[in-house]
Amino acid sequence: MSSAAPIQSAANFRAEREEDWAAFEALLGRLDKRGPKRLSEDELLQLPRLYRGTLSSLSLARAISLDQALIAHLEALSLRGYYRLYGNRAGLTGRVARFFLADWPAAVRALWRETLAMLALLLLGVGVGWALVASDPSWYAAFVPPELAQGRGPEVAAGPLREILFGGGGDGFLTGFAVQLFVHNSQVAILCFALGFAFGLPTILLVLYHGCMVGALLQIYAAKGLGVELGGWLFIHGTTELFAIVLAAAAGIRIGSAVAFPGDRARIDAAAEAGRSAATAMVGVVVMLLVAGLLEGIGRQTITVTAARYAIGAFMLAGWCSYFYLLRPKSRFDGD
């Protein structure tokens, strides 16, 4: 009797539930062949019910140690149902479209508080850098690294500085400076994000320092009557590049604040949760830096009219703001 009981139990178990398993498997087959749009409303409603029933059967089968073939069949059926109901079935094109239409803008919007805070900090740094260099030009060397300054500083006359902005000085300085500035800003953006886990303090210092560097550079040109011209030279790509740095810093601060104030969660769990949305924003920052590189390496080199530089920079800033905060196109990703 003892050896017959498990056999009888397994037979009863299968008989009571096998019809639902078969119905679920058949429904998944129709879903694979016809897609969800071709299923009836009743069939769509049956899918989650049958899926939950299959999971329940799998749990019971494991608990009462039924034969491994049945357990393997239920595991495969449950896994197939999970991927059909909840898995990402979009191809590469669909995933890329989802990122640009939904995931990236949503991640940036979720960081709006941190973005405003980092923008204010960057502008504060610009003001501090300007004021310190204006009061004592020796501060310039503290804010602008030698590889970026390349010998250009407060002591340089207005003529060579203007030639840098509009003609490159005939020695390739403009191109070299542009490359150095882009590399520097990219490193700052990556560090702002990567160091956010340290309670956000390194990120705050980096943003403040970067603002001081921009302010110091603006001041020495403004002192020679070239502030507007330098503004245009920076503006054509800076509205994209500095925006990217601010977003990277905002993402880093989001992680840092989660580590510093995890609430009821463990610090590692809070950081992981904050890191998912922050990382999505950071992937987009890389795209912005690539766009800024094109504007810096091509647009700024070929467009030498200051008003046109301002116009392109303003257009890019308006475009990014509209894309992130104003335009929310309805798509098939909404509600996923």
Side-chain angles (χ1 to χ4, degrees), residues 121-181:
L121 190 65
L122 180 70
L123 294 177
L124 175 64
V126 172
V128 169
W130 177 295
L132 289 176
V133 174
S135 62
D136 184 358
S138 65
W139 277 101
Y140 179 81
F143 294 135
V144 181
E147 63 271 17
L148 292 181
Q150 294 190 356
R152 274 67 177 183
E155 73 283 356
V156 180
L161 291 178
R162 175 182 288 275
E163 184 66 18
I164 289 172
L165 297 180
F166 297 105
D171 58 358
F173 170 76
L174 180 57
T175 300
F177 184 82
V179 171
Q180 290 285 353
L181 191 60

Side-chain angles (χ1 to χ4, degrees), residues 32-311:
D32 290 337
K33 293 179 180 178
R34 299 162 57 185
K37 294 183 179 179
R38 301 293 298 276
L39 297 182
S40 67
E41 184 177 348
D42 289 339
E43 289 174 327
L44 290 174
L45 291 174
Q46 286 179 3
L47 272 172
R49 181 184 66 81
L50 293 172
Y51 172 66
R52 289 192 296 270
T54 304
L55 287 179
S56 177
S57 297
L58 175 60
S59 178
L60 285 173
R62 287 171 171 169
I64 60 180
S65 302
L66 296 182
D67 64 277
Q68 291 301 311
L70 177 59
I71 292 176
H73 172 70
L74 292 175
E75 286 176 344
L77 187 58
S78 299
L79 186 61
R80 183 182 173 194
Y82 173 82
Y83 279 117
R84 293 305 293 162
L85 287 170
Y86 305 111
N88 187 353
R89 298 179 295 277
L92 177 60
T93 302
R95 290 194 292 270
V96 171
R98 181 190 178 103
F99 174 79
F100 285 103
L101 290 176
D103 295 345
W104 183 20
V108 171
R109 286 194 296 271
L111 294 171
W112 69 271
R113 293 181 181 86
E114 292 88 348
T115 301
L116 287 177
M118 292 301 99
L119 176 60
L121 190 65
L122 180 70
L123 294 177
L124 175 64
V126 172
V128 169
W130 177 295
L132 289 176
V133 174
S135 62
D136 184 358
S138 65
W139 277 101
Y140 179 81
F143 294 135
V144 181
E147 63 271 17
L148 292 181
Q150 294 190 356
R152 274 67 177 183
E155 73 283 356
V156 180
L161 291 178
R162 175 182 288 275
E163 184 66 18
I164 289 172
L165 297 180
F166 297 105
D171 58 358
F173 170 76
L174 180 57
T175 300
F177 184 82
V179 171
Q180 290 285 353
L181 191 60
F182 173 70
V183 171
H184 174 81
N185 289 342
S186 300
Q187 291 172 341
V188 169
I190 294 171
L191 287 174
C192 283
F193 174 72
L195 296 178
F197 73 92
F199 303 105
L201 295 177
T203 298
I204 291 173
L205 293 175
L206 276 171
V207 173
L208 187 62
Y209 163 75
H210 196 75
C212 289
M213 186 190 73
V214 174
L217 190 64
L218 285 170
Q219 202 285 325
I220 67 162
Y221 274 83
K224 304 296 192 302
L226 296 171
V228 174
E229 290 79 359
L230 178 69
W233 191 71
L234 293 174
F235 206 71
I236 188 172
H237 79 285
T239 51
T240 297
E241 197 163 73
L242 293 178
F243 199 170
I245 291 174
V246 167
L247 289 179
I253 290 296
R254 169 62 63 90
I255 297 175
S257 60
V259 173
F261 308 104
D264 297 333
R265 302 163 296 175
R267 292 188 189 276
I268 188 65
D269 294 334
E273 182 178 344
R276 282 190 286 271
S277 61
T280 300
M282 190 59 195
V283 172
V285 165
V286 175
V287 176
M288 294 180 72
L289 290 173
L290 290 174
V291 173
L294 292 175
L295 291 171
E296 191 170 21
I298 299 175
R300 192 175 62 182
Q301 313 300 327
T302 58
I303 299 172
T304 58
V305 178
T306 298
R309 288 173 170 176
Y310 276 108

Side-chain angles (χ1 to χ4, degrees), residues 306-326:
T306 298
R309 288 173 170 176
Y310 276 108
I312 293 173
F315 175 79
M316 294 303 301
L317 179 60
W320 290 120
C321 290
S322 299
Y323 172 61
F324 290 134
Y325 305 112
L326 299 180

